[in-house]
Amino acid sequence: MRQFATIRCTINGRDTETSVDVRASLADMLRGEYRLTSVKKGCEVGECGACNVIIDGECYNSCIYMAIWADGKNIRTVEGLEGPGGELSEIQRLFVEEGAVQCGFCTPGFLMTATAILESAQGGQKYSRDDLRRELSGHLCRCTGYENILRAVEKAVSRTLP
Amino acid sequence: MFDFEAVYEAKSVAHAVELRVRHPEAKILAGGSDILIETRAGKLAGCSVISIFKLDELRGVSMDGDGTLRIGALTSFSHLTRDPLIGRCIKVLGEAAGTAGGPQLRNIGTIGGNVCNGVTSADTASTLMAWDAVMEYAGPRGVRRAPMREHYVKAGVVAIAPDEILTSILIPRDSYERCFGCYIKYAMRGAMDIATLGCSVNVRLSGDLGTVERMRAAYGVAAPVPVRGFSAESVANGQPVSPETINSAAAAALSDVNPRSSWRASRELRLQLAEELTRRAFRESVIRAGGIL
Ligand SMILES: Cc1cc2nc3c(=O)[nH]c(=O)nc-3n(C[C@H](O)[C@H](O)[C@H](O)COP(=O)(O)OP(=O)(O)OC[C@H]3O[C@@H](n4cnc5c(N)ncnc54)[C@H](O)[C@@H]3O)c2cc1C
Ligand code: FES
Ligand code: FES
């Protein structure tokens, strides 16, 4: 027996409504229904962070988040970081500048964690290099560009300081 | 897509209990960071689930009228770590929660799920055990409470009836007043790793800080389920605050644990860890309590 549910949520600032299979993950819904293909499926068991999105201000791996839970939530993906003309956000530009993107598969997940870090840094939260390492530790980069990624995030955080 | 037979969504605690009565074969789905992984792995494929994730009434930490600290079963690891009441009454529980998985995992994993999976490595379980936590369940016959030790039956099995759910974890006032603790997770990696051994110790010192009024210890991955260190405790209680007291409690801990060898580590390494981590966690607890060593 297939069961469906109506899910109303805000995705990248737009109010949306769709009907999903109750067995779907949020990653299934974002990729399948909304074509938000920045949301990657790396491991699908919560280990790699490639599917990471921001829900109501917190980072979640959308491969182990049920689509039905998204009802009423505010969801953000990398597609929502771009400016109105499709221009890259500062954190995306810093990833490019620092050579933090190789094959790019892990990049969207890292960018959303970096975005959450930056928003809390703008709110006054202080981060040491070790804090940043810890905050980024839920992501795997198979191209192992960790140092460059860390440097990009560190630079972005330092620019939030007055 | 998850291979579920059916998904039921609870609208309230009473509704969750009703769904439990109607579908006794269905598993409770909280944050899903165990169930969804096991479903993907095929171990639970084809099962039915009752999702309680959206029951916000089970989230957060509060204080009952009698000073009992009440932790909602759905409180996530990261919310525990940030909660001011946890910071004031049982800071070590927030620290223990902060050692689980990575940042995204800590936003989804719940404390209720951590103790209902019956797993010995659960990072919050040893601390809850060491602070005499009380489990509160809701069922068709009303509310039931049980001490944490009765909650664990054997590896992977907890004493929750098929028609019940865990609603809160309680820390009685006598259990946290003037108590200071420390949790040490020994693991191969600094993140995204399961404990090789976990040790949680807490102390209450006498008013002059010279005597160990009460010491409590508990261990994860030292036995099939989290265990208390009663021998270590009895050696420490009432003794002067001193390195000798700490060393003899650490040695006594060896008779409290019975670890096994696994691909992660041998029994021998785990025994060494049980003694050494007791020493370090006890020492740190004394220092946090203001004691001088
Ligand atoms: C990548 C990854 C890393 C991890 N790292 C760690 C780690 O370092 N340390 C650690 O301790 N754990 C770790 N875990 C395991 C898991 O995240 C925790 O055990 C978590 O606390 C489970 O909670 P949940 O709500 O997400 O689980 P769920 O899967 O929803 O539930 C777990 C079990 O408890 C039952 N249950 C849940 N809530 C209730 C309730 N209120 N009443 C009755 N039964 C209930 C469920 O039926 C299920 O059997 C990790 C998991 C993943 C995927
Ligand atoms: S795909 Fe979700 S964490 Fe790897
Ligand atoms: S850039 Fe290839 S996985 Fe990170």
Side-chain angles (χ1 to χ4, degrees), chain A residues 3 23 28 44 58-61 63-64 69 71 134-135 138-139, chain B residues 1-2 4 7 30 36 40 51 53-54 79 82 98 103-104 107 192:
Chain A
Q3 284 174 275
R23 300 168 304 169
D28 291 332
E44 290 207 80
E58 293 183 1
C59 285
Y60 291 90
N61 289 334
C63 70
I64 53 166
W69 294 344
D71 194 50
R134 186 177 142 84
E135 289 304 317
H139 294 275
Chain B
M1 206 69 73
F2 294 98
F4 289 137
V7 179
L36 296 178
R40 283 254 201 264
S51 167
F53 184 73
K54 298 280 265 194
H79 286 204
R82 288 201 295 267
Q104 300 98 295
N107 288 337
M192 301 297 279

PDB file of all heavy atoms in Angstrom, chain A residues 3 23 28 44 58-61 63-64 69 71 134-135 138-139, chain B residues 1-2 4 7 30 36 40 51 53-54 79 82 98 103-104 107 192:
ATOM      1  N   GLN A   3       1.481   5.188   0.581  1.00  0.00           N
ATOM      2  CA  GLN A   3       0.863   6.279   1.330  1.00  0.00           C
ATOM      3  C   GLN A   3       1.517   7.583   0.886  1.00  0.00           C
ATOM      4  O   GLN A   3       2.729   7.626   0.702  1.00  0.00           O
ATOM      5  CB  GLN A   3       1.209   6.154   2.818  1.00  0.00           C
ATOM      6  CG  GLN A   3       0.488   5.114   3.618  1.00  0.00           C
ATOM      7  CD  GLN A   3       1.138   5.113   5.014  1.00  0.00           C
ATOM      8  OE1 GLN A   3       2.146   4.459   5.236  1.00  0.00           O
ATOM      9  NE2 GLN A   3       0.573   5.856   5.951  1.00  0.00           N
ATOM     10  N   ARG A  23       7.527   7.427   2.633  1.00  0.00           N
ATOM     11  CA  ARG A  23       8.782   6.712   2.881  1.00  0.00           C
ATOM     12  C   ARG A  23       9.993   7.476   2.347  1.00  0.00           C
ATOM     13  O   ARG A  23      11.126   7.023   2.466  1.00  0.00           O
ATOM     14  CB  ARG A  23       8.741   5.331   2.233  1.00  0.00           C
ATOM     15  CG  ARG A  23       7.602   4.449   2.763  1.00  0.00           C
ATOM     16  CD  ARG A  23       7.432   3.223   1.902  1.00  0.00           C
ATOM     17  NE  ARG A  23       7.203   3.603   0.506  1.00  0.00           N
ATOM     18  CZ  ARG A  23       7.229   2.735  -0.515  1.00  0.00           C
ATOM     19  NH1 ARG A  23       7.462   1.460  -0.301  1.00  0.00           N
ATOM     20  NH2 ARG A  23       7.008   3.156  -1.744  1.00  0.00           N
ATOM     21  N   ASP A  28      15.513  12.810  -1.050  1.00  0.00           N
ATOM     22  CA  ASP A  28      14.693  12.342  -2.185  1.00  0.00           C
ATOM     23  C   ASP A  28      13.782  13.470  -2.655  1.00  0.00           C
ATOM     24  O   ASP A  28      13.647  13.737  -3.849  1.00  0.00           O
ATOM     25  CB  ASP A  28      13.783  11.166  -1.769  1.00  0.00           C
ATOM     26  CG  ASP A  28      14.544   9.883  -1.458  1.00  0.00           C
ATOM     27  OD1 ASP A  28      15.630   9.695  -2.032  1.00  0.00           O
ATOM     28  OD2 ASP A  28      14.041   9.078  -0.638  1.00  0.00           O
ATOM     29  N   GLU A  44      24.227   8.078   2.084  1.00  0.00           N
ATOM     30  CA  GLU A  44      22.837   7.864   2.507  1.00  0.00           C
ATOM     31  C   GLU A  44      22.687   7.213   3.881  1.00  0.00           C
ATOM     32  O   GLU A  44      21.655   6.638   4.188  1.00  0.00           O
ATOM     33  CB  GLU A  44      22.049   7.080   1.447  1.00  0.00           C
ATOM     34  CG  GLU A  44      21.810   7.914   0.190  1.00  0.00           C
ATOM     35  CD  GLU A  44      20.549   7.484  -0.548  1.00  0.00           C
ATOM     36  OE1 GLU A  44      19.445   7.876  -0.142  1.00  0.00           O
ATOM     37  OE2 GLU A  44      20.694   6.735  -1.522  1.00  0.00           O
ATOM     38  N   GLU A  58      19.379  25.104  11.566  1.00  0.00           N
ATOM     39  CA  GLU A  58      20.341  24.083  11.985  1.00  0.00           C
ATOM     40  C   GLU A  58      20.653  23.140  10.825  1.00  0.00           C
ATOM     41  O   GLU A  58      19.787  22.883   9.986  1.00  0.00           O
ATOM     42  CB  GLU A  58      19.771  23.254  13.153  1.00  0.00           C
ATOM     43  CG  GLU A  58      19.613  24.046  14.435  1.00  0.00           C
ATOM     44  CD  GLU A  58      19.115  23.183  15.610  1.00  0.00           C
ATOM     45  OE1 GLU A  58      18.899  21.963  15.434  1.00  0.00           O
ATOM     46  OE2 GLU A  58      18.929  23.751  16.696  1.00  0.00           O
ATOM     47  N   CYS A  59      21.868  22.601  10.839  1.00  0.00           N
ATOM     48  CA  CYS A  59      22.283  21.695   9.754  1.00  0.00           C
ATOM     49  C   CYS A  59      21.809  20.263   9.990  1.00  0.00           C
ATOM     50  O   CYS A  59      21.927  19.736  11.102  1.00  0.00           O
ATOM     51  CB  CYS A  59      23.808  21.695   9.662  1.00  0.00           C
ATOM     52  SG  CYS A  59      24.430  23.201   8.904  1.00  0.00           S
ATOM     53  N   TYR A  60      21.284  19.665   8.948  1.00  0.00           N
ATOM     54  CA  TYR A  60      20.834  18.259   9.012  1.00  0.00           C
ATOM     55  C   TYR A  60      21.266  17.534   7.748  1.00  0.00           C
ATOM     56  O   TYR A  60      21.219  18.110   6.645  1.00  0.00           O
ATOM     57  CB  TYR A  60      19.303  18.181   9.096  1.00  0.00           C
ATOM     58  CG  TYR A  60      18.725  18.682  10.391  1.00  0.00           C
ATOM     59  CD1 TYR A  60      18.368  20.021  10.528  1.00  0.00           C
ATOM     60  CD2 TYR A  60      18.531  17.823  11.466  1.00  0.00           C
ATOM     61  CE1 TYR A  60      17.836  20.502  11.721  1.00  0.00           C
ATOM     62  CE2 TYR A  60      17.999  18.289  12.657  1.00  0.00           C
ATOM     63  CZ  TYR A  60      17.648  19.631  12.781  1.00  0.00           C
ATOM     64  OH  TYR A  60      17.132  20.089  13.962  1.00  0.00           O
ATOM     65  N   ASN A  61      21.612  16.267   7.907  1.00  0.00           N
ATOM     66  CA  ASN A  61      21.857  15.423   6.743  1.00  0.00           C
ATOM     67  C   ASN A  61      20.496  14.973   6.203  1.00  0.00           C
ATOM     68  O   ASN A  61      19.789  14.197   6.852  1.00  0.00           O
ATOM     69  CB  ASN A  61      22.721  14.222   7.122  1.00  0.00           C
ATOM     70  CG  ASN A  61      24.150  14.635   7.408  1.00  0.00           C
ATOM     71  OD1 ASN A  61      24.624  15.649   6.885  1.00  0.00           O
ATOM     72  ND2 ASN A  61      24.833  13.870   8.229  1.00  0.00           N
ATOM     73  N   CYS A  63      19.587  12.988   3.985  1.00  0.00           N
ATOM     74  CA  CYS A  63      19.390  11.574   3.615  1.00  0.00           C
ATOM     75  C   CYS A  63      18.790  10.785   4.765  1.00  0.00           C
ATOM     76  O   CYS A  63      18.215   9.730   4.555  1.00  0.00           O
ATOM     77  CB  CYS A  63      20.706  10.935   3.179  1.00  0.00           C
ATOM     78  SG  CYS A  63      21.893  10.687   4.530  1.00  0.00           S
ATOM     79  N   ILE A  64      18.971  11.270   6.001  1.00  0.00           N
ATOM     80  CA  ILE A  64      18.382  10.562   7.141  1.00  0.00           C
ATOM     81  C   ILE A  64      17.387  11.487   7.862  1.00  0.00           C
ATOM     82  O   ILE A  64      17.282  11.485   9.088  1.00  0.00           O
ATOM     83  CB  ILE A  64      19.443   9.980   8.117  1.00  0.00           C
ATOM     84  CG1 ILE A  64      20.436  11.058   8.575  1.00  0.00           C
ATOM     85  CG2 ILE A  64      20.187   8.822   7.479  1.00  0.00           C
ATOM     86  CD1 ILE A  64      21.290  10.631   9.778  1.00  0.00           C
ATOM     87  N   TRP A  69       8.794  15.086   7.803  1.00  0.00           N
ATOM     88  CA  TRP A  69       9.178  15.976   8.907  1.00  0.00           C
ATOM     89  C   TRP A  69       9.359  17.415   8.424  1.00  0.00           C
ATOM     90  O   TRP A  69       9.407  18.352   9.236  1.00  0.00           O
ATOM     91  CB  TRP A  69      10.485  15.505   9.557  1.00  0.00           C
ATOM     92  CG  TRP A  69      10.385  14.185  10.264  1.00  0.00           C
ATOM     93  CD1 TRP A  69       9.240  13.532  10.637  1.00  0.00           C
ATOM     94  CD2 TRP A  69      11.479  13.348  10.687  1.00  0.00           C
ATOM     95  NE1 TRP A  69       9.567  12.345  11.271  1.00  0.00           N
ATOM     96  CE2 TRP A  69      10.921  12.214  11.320  1.00  0.00           C
ATOM     97  CE3 TRP A  69      12.872  13.458  10.600  1.00  0.00           C
ATOM     98  CZ2 TRP A  69      11.712  11.191  11.858  1.00  0.00           C
ATOM     99  CZ3 TRP A  69      13.651  12.447  11.137  1.00  0.00           C
ATOM    100  CH2 TRP A  69      13.073  11.325  11.761  1.00  0.00           C
ATOM    101  N   ASP A  71       7.396  19.271   6.846  1.00  0.00           N
ATOM    102  CA  ASP A  71       6.166  20.066   6.831  1.00  0.00           C
ATOM    103  C   ASP A  71       6.287  21.224   7.831  1.00  0.00           C
ATOM    104  O   ASP A  71       6.598  21.003   9.006  1.00  0.00           O
ATOM    105  CB  ASP A  71       4.976  19.168   7.184  1.00  0.00           C
ATOM    106  CG  ASP A  71       3.660  19.845   6.844  1.00  0.00           C
ATOM    107  OD1 ASP A  71       3.525  20.338   5.717  1.00  0.00           O
ATOM    108  OD2 ASP A  71       2.775  19.906   7.731  1.00  0.00           O
ATOM    109  N   ARG A 134      36.243  21.250  14.332  1.00  0.00           N
ATOM    110  CA  ARG A 134      35.209  20.448  14.978  1.00  0.00           C
ATOM    111  C   ARG A 134      33.859  20.660  14.272  1.00  0.00           C
ATOM    112  O   ARG A 134      33.132  19.717  14.011  1.00  0.00           O
ATOM    113  CB  ARG A 134      35.139  20.888  16.445  1.00  0.00           C
ATOM    114  CG  ARG A 134      34.214  20.077  17.306  1.00  0.00           C
ATOM    115  CD  ARG A 134      34.316  20.586  18.752  1.00  0.00           C
ATOM    116  NE  ARG A 134      33.009  20.563  19.385  1.00  0.00           N
ATOM    117  CZ  ARG A 134      32.486  19.475  19.953  1.00  0.00           C
ATOM    118  NH1 ARG A 134      33.138  18.354  19.962  1.00  0.00           N
ATOM    119  NH2 ARG A 134      31.289  19.525  20.499  1.00  0.00           N
ATOM    120  N   GLU A 135      33.564  21.916  13.934  1.00  0.00           N
ATOM    121  CA  GLU A 135      32.277  22.214  13.294  1.00  0.00           C
ATOM    122  C   GLU A 135      32.190  21.618  11.895  1.00  0.00           C
ATOM    123  O   GLU A 135      31.102  21.370  11.379  1.00  0.00           O
ATOM    124  CB  GLU A 135      32.053  23.728  13.219  1.00  0.00           C
ATOM    125  CG  GLU A 135      31.777  24.392  14.560  1.00  0.00           C
ATOM    126  CD  GLU A 135      30.585  23.778  15.279  1.00  0.00           C
ATOM    127  OE1 GLU A 135      29.558  23.523  14.620  1.00  0.00           O
ATOM    128  OE2 GLU A 135      30.684  23.528  16.491  1.00  0.00           O
ATOM    129  N   GLY A 138      31.715  16.874  10.393  1.00  0.00           N
ATOM    130  CA  GLY A 138      30.649  15.989   9.902  1.00  0.00           C
ATOM    131  C   GLY A 138      30.648  15.853   8.391  1.00  0.00           C
ATOM    132  O   GLY A 138      29.649  15.422   7.814  1.00  0.00           O
ATOM    133  N   HIS A 139      31.760  16.238   7.743  1.00  0.00           N
ATOM    134  CA  HIS A 139      31.838  16.163   6.275  1.00  0.00           C
ATOM    135  C   HIS A 139      33.068  15.393   5.838  1.00  0.00           C
ATOM    136  O   HIS A 139      34.155  15.593   6.374  1.00  0.00           O
ATOM    137  CB  HIS A 139      31.914  17.575   5.677  1.00  0.00           C
ATOM    138  CG  HIS A 139      30.669  18.363   5.894  1.00  0.00           C
ATOM    139  ND1 HIS A 139      29.593  18.276   5.066  1.00  0.00           N
ATOM    140  CD2 HIS A 139      30.319  19.215   6.880  1.00  0.00           C
ATOM    141  CE1 HIS A 139      28.628  19.064   5.522  1.00  0.00           C
ATOM    142  NE2 HIS A 139      29.040  19.645   6.632  1.00  0.00           N
TER     143      HIS A 139
ATOM    144  N   MET B   1      14.425   6.702  -0.745  1.00  0.00           N
ATOM    145  CA  MET B   1      13.205   6.049  -0.243  1.00  0.00           C
ATOM    146  C   MET B   1      13.589   4.971   0.780  1.00  0.00           C
ATOM    147  O   MET B   1      14.511   4.207   0.543  1.00  0.00           O
ATOM    148  CB  MET B   1      12.487   5.397  -1.433  1.00  0.00           C
ATOM    149  CG  MET B   1      11.012   5.231  -1.242  1.00  0.00           C
ATOM    150  SD  MET B   1      10.100   6.788  -1.242  1.00  0.00           S
ATOM    151  CE  MET B   1      10.127   7.266  -2.957  1.00  0.00           C
ATOM    152  N   PHE B   2      12.894   4.952   1.891  1.00  0.00           N
ATOM    153  CA  PHE B   2      13.159   3.923   2.894  1.00  0.00           C
ATOM    154  C   PHE B   2      12.192   2.759   2.716  1.00  0.00           C
ATOM    155  O   PHE B   2      11.016   2.966   2.404  1.00  0.00           O
ATOM    156  CB  PHE B   2      13.015   4.498   4.307  1.00  0.00           C
ATOM    157  CG  PHE B   2      14.056   5.521   4.629  1.00  0.00           C
ATOM    158  CD1 PHE B   2      13.778   6.878   4.515  1.00  0.00           C
ATOM    159  CD2 PHE B   2      15.323   5.132   5.023  1.00  0.00           C
ATOM    160  CE1 PHE B   2      14.748   7.832   4.794  1.00  0.00           C
ATOM    161  CE2 PHE B   2      16.302   6.076   5.302  1.00  0.00           C
ATOM    162  CZ  PHE B   2      16.012   7.432   5.190  1.00  0.00           C
ATOM    163  N   PHE B   4       9.992   0.944   4.127  1.00  0.00           N
ATOM    164  CA  PHE B   4       9.051   0.758   5.243  1.00  0.00           C
ATOM    165  C   PHE B   4       7.763   0.157   4.711  1.00  0.00           C
ATOM    166  O   PHE B   4       7.345   0.444   3.590  1.00  0.00           O
ATOM    167  CB  PHE B   4       8.698   2.100   5.893  1.00  0.00           C
ATOM    168  CG  PHE B   4       9.813   2.720   6.687  1.00  0.00           C
ATOM    169  CD1 PHE B   4      10.067   4.081   6.581  1.00  0.00           C
ATOM    170  CD2 PHE B   4      10.578   1.960   7.556  1.00  0.00           C
ATOM    171  CE1 PHE B   4      11.085   4.675   7.314  1.00  0.00           C
ATOM    172  CE2 PHE B   4      11.596   2.544   8.296  1.00  0.00           C
ATOM    173  CZ  PHE B   4      11.846   3.904   8.173  1.00  0.00           C
ATOM    174  N   VAL B   7       4.101   4.031   7.542  1.00  0.00           N
ATOM    175  CA  VAL B   7       4.617   5.100   8.399  1.00  0.00           C
ATOM    176  C   VAL B   7       3.415   5.759   9.078  1.00  0.00           C
ATOM    177  O   VAL B   7       2.513   6.251   8.402  1.00  0.00           O
ATOM    178  CB  VAL B   7       5.382   6.165   7.578  1.00  0.00           C
ATOM    179  CG1 VAL B   7       5.883   7.287   8.486  1.00  0.00           C
ATOM    180  CG2 VAL B   7       6.541   5.539   6.817  1.00  0.00           C
ATOM    181  N   ALA B  30      12.225   8.163  16.350  1.00  0.00           N
ATOM    182  CA  ALA B  30      12.441   9.491  16.957  1.00  0.00           C
ATOM    183  C   ALA B  30      13.274  10.299  15.970  1.00  0.00           C
ATOM    184  O   ALA B  30      12.772  10.681  14.921  1.00  0.00           O
ATOM    185  CB  ALA B  30      13.089   9.326  18.320  1.00  0.00           C
ATOM    186  N   LEU B  36      16.799   4.600  10.788  1.00  0.00           N
ATOM    187  CA  LEU B  36      16.896   4.837   9.344  1.00  0.00           C
ATOM    188  C   LEU B  36      18.153   4.189   8.782  1.00  0.00           C
ATOM    189  O   LEU B  36      18.154   3.683   7.663  1.00  0.00           O
ATOM    190  CB  LEU B  36      16.853   6.346   9.038  1.00  0.00           C
ATOM    191  CG  LEU B  36      15.532   7.039   9.407  1.00  0.00           C
ATOM    192  CD1 LEU B  36      15.597   8.536   9.123  1.00  0.00           C
ATOM    193  CD2 LEU B  36      14.352   6.424   8.655  1.00  0.00           C
ATOM    194  N   ARG B  40      18.214   1.195   5.971  1.00  0.00           N
ATOM    195  CA  ARG B  40      19.048   1.237   4.756  1.00  0.00           C
ATOM    196  C   ARG B  40      19.927  -0.006   4.659  1.00  0.00           C
ATOM    197  O   ARG B  40      20.124  -0.552   3.582  1.00  0.00           O
ATOM    198  CB  ARG B  40      19.974   2.444   4.791  1.00  0.00           C
ATOM    199  CG  ARG B  40      19.296   3.716   4.457  1.00  0.00           C
ATOM    200  CD  ARG B  40      19.647   4.210   3.073  1.00  0.00           C
ATOM    201  NE  ARG B  40      19.375   5.630   3.003  1.00  0.00           N
ATOM    202  CZ  ARG B  40      18.250   6.142   2.532  1.00  0.00           C
ATOM    203  NH1 ARG B  40      17.314   5.359   2.028  1.00  0.00           N
ATOM    204  NH2 ARG B  40      18.064   7.436   2.531  1.00  0.00           N
ATOM    205  N   SER B  51       6.253   7.548  13.782  1.00  0.00           N
ATOM    206  CA  SER B  51       7.135   8.703  13.954  1.00  0.00           C
ATOM    207  C   SER B  51       6.628   9.590  15.087  1.00  0.00           C
ATOM    208  O   SER B  51       5.478  10.027  15.096  1.00  0.00           O
ATOM    209  CB  SER B  51       7.202   9.521  12.663  1.00  0.00           C
ATOM    210  OG  SER B  51       7.808  10.770  12.939  1.00  0.00           O
ATOM    211  N   PHE B  53       8.727  12.189  15.906  1.00  0.00           N
ATOM    212  CA  PHE B  53       9.678  13.297  15.742  1.00  0.00           C
ATOM    213  C   PHE B  53       9.046  14.676  15.875  1.00  0.00           C
ATOM    214  O   PHE B  53       9.667  15.618  16.341  1.00  0.00           O
ATOM    215  CB  PHE B  53      10.388  13.176  14.388  1.00  0.00           C
ATOM    216  CG  PHE B  53      11.454  14.211  14.165  1.00  0.00           C
ATOM    217  CD1 PHE B  53      12.661  14.131  14.842  1.00  0.00           C
ATOM    218  CD2 PHE B  53      11.258  15.272  13.293  1.00  0.00           C
ATOM    219  CE1 PHE B  53      13.656  15.079  14.647  1.00  0.00           C
ATOM    220  CE2 PHE B  53      12.249  16.230  13.087  1.00  0.00           C
ATOM    221  CZ  PHE B  53      13.441  16.120  13.764  1.00  0.00           C
ATOM    222  N   LYS B  54       7.775  14.803  15.435  1.00  0.00           N
ATOM    223  CA  LYS B  54       7.173  16.140  15.430  1.00  0.00           C
ATOM    224  C   LYS B  54       6.480  16.504  16.756  1.00  0.00           C
ATOM    225  O   LYS B  54       5.826  17.537  16.839  1.00  0.00           O
ATOM    226  CB  LYS B  54       6.170  16.234  14.273  1.00  0.00           C
ATOM    227  CG  LYS B  54       6.812  16.052  12.882  1.00  0.00           C
ATOM    228  CD  LYS B  54       7.487  17.305  12.364  1.00  0.00           C
ATOM    229  CE  LYS B  54       6.544  18.071  11.476  1.00  0.00           C
ATOM    230  NZ  LYS B  54       7.250  19.095  10.693  1.00  0.00           N
ATOM    231  N   HIS B  79      21.028  20.477  21.472  1.00  0.00           N
ATOM    232  CA  HIS B  79      20.230  21.310  22.378  1.00  0.00           C
ATOM    233  C   HIS B  79      20.593  21.034  23.833  1.00  0.00           C
ATOM    234  O   HIS B  79      20.592  21.946  24.661  1.00  0.00           O
ATOM    235  CB  HIS B  79      18.740  21.112  22.118  1.00  0.00           C
ATOM    236  CG  HIS B  79      18.288  21.791  20.854  1.00  0.00           C
ATOM    237  ND1 HIS B  79      16.988  22.177  20.630  1.00  0.00           N
ATOM    238  CD2 HIS B  79      18.972  22.180  19.758  1.00  0.00           C
ATOM    239  CE1 HIS B  79      16.907  22.760  19.431  1.00  0.00           C
ATOM    240  NE2 HIS B  79      18.102  22.759  18.888  1.00  0.00           N
ATOM    241  N   ARG B  82      23.684  22.971  24.689  1.00  0.00           N
ATOM    242  CA  ARG B  82      23.482  24.425  24.785  1.00  0.00           C
ATOM    243  C   ARG B  82      22.522  24.836  25.898  1.00  0.00           C
ATOM    244  O   ARG B  82      22.401  26.014  26.195  1.00  0.00           O
ATOM    245  CB  ARG B  82      22.912  24.946  23.461  1.00  0.00           C
ATOM    246  CG  ARG B  82      23.912  24.969  22.328  1.00  0.00           C
ATOM    247  CD  ARG B  82      23.473  25.940  21.247  1.00  0.00           C
ATOM    248  NE  ARG B  82      22.233  25.539  20.599  1.00  0.00           N
ATOM    249  CZ  ARG B  82      22.182  24.813  19.487  1.00  0.00           C
ATOM    250  NH1 ARG B  82      23.288  24.408  18.912  1.00  0.00           N
ATOM    251  NH2 ARG B  82      21.028  24.495  18.946  1.00  0.00           N
ATOM    252  N   GLY B  98      27.994  16.199  23.458  1.00  0.00           N
ATOM    253  CA  GLY B  98      28.853  16.878  22.494  1.00  0.00           C
ATOM    254  C   GLY B  98      29.924  15.986  21.887  1.00  0.00           C
ATOM    255  O   GLY B  98      30.597  16.393  20.938  1.00  0.00           O
ATOM    256  N   PRO B 103      28.568  17.375  13.936  1.00  0.00           N
ATOM    257  CA  PRO B 103      27.563  18.416  14.167  1.00  0.00           C
ATOM    258  C   PRO B 103      26.156  18.093  13.637  1.00  0.00           C
ATOM    259  O   PRO B 103      25.182  18.297  14.356  1.00  0.00           O
ATOM    260  CB  PRO B 103      28.150  19.628  13.456  1.00  0.00           C
ATOM    261  CG  PRO B 103      29.622  19.389  13.454  1.00  0.00           C
ATOM    262  CD  PRO B 103      29.812  17.918  13.353  1.00  0.00           C
ATOM    263  N   GLN B 104      26.042  17.605  12.417  1.00  0.00           N
ATOM    264  CA  GLN B 104      24.701  17.341  11.881  1.00  0.00           C
ATOM    265  C   GLN B 104      24.019  16.225  12.672  1.00  0.00           C
ATOM    266  O   GLN B 104      22.826  16.283  12.942  1.00  0.00           O
ATOM    267  CB  GLN B 104      24.741  16.949  10.404  1.00  0.00           C
ATOM    268  CG  GLN B 104      25.347  17.994   9.484  1.00  0.00           C
ATOM    269  CD  GLN B 104      26.802  17.684   9.197  1.00  0.00           C
ATOM    270  OE1 GLN B 104      27.622  17.709  10.097  1.00  0.00           O
ATOM    271  NE2 GLN B 104      27.130  17.406   7.953  1.00  0.00           N
ATOM    272  N   ASN B 107      22.429  17.360  15.801  1.00  0.00           N
ATOM    273  CA  ASN B 107      21.162  18.080  15.658  1.00  0.00           C
ATOM    274  C   ASN B 107      19.975  17.133  15.508  1.00  0.00           C
ATOM    275  O   ASN B 107      18.848  17.509  15.800  1.00  0.00           O
ATOM    276  CB  ASN B 107      21.217  19.018  14.445  1.00  0.00           C
ATOM    277  CG  ASN B 107      22.113  20.219  14.707  1.00  0.00           C
ATOM    278  OD1 ASN B 107      22.338  20.588  15.857  1.00  0.00           O
ATOM    279  ND2 ASN B 107      22.620  20.821  13.643  1.00  0.00           N
ATOM    280  N   MET B 192      32.984  11.575  14.713  1.00  0.00           N
ATOM    281  CA  MET B 192      32.344  10.518  13.941  1.00  0.00           C
ATOM    282  C   MET B 192      32.915   9.139  14.294  1.00  0.00           C
ATOM    283  O   MET B 192      33.239   8.356  13.424  1.00  0.00           O
ATOM    284  CB  MET B 192      32.493  10.762  12.429  1.00  0.00           C
ATOM    285  CG  MET B 192      31.902  12.079  11.946  1.00  0.00           C
ATOM    286  SD  MET B 192      30.139  12.234  12.181  1.00  0.00           S
ATOM    287  CE  MET B 192      29.507  11.338  10.778  1.00  0.00           C
TER     288      MET B 192
END
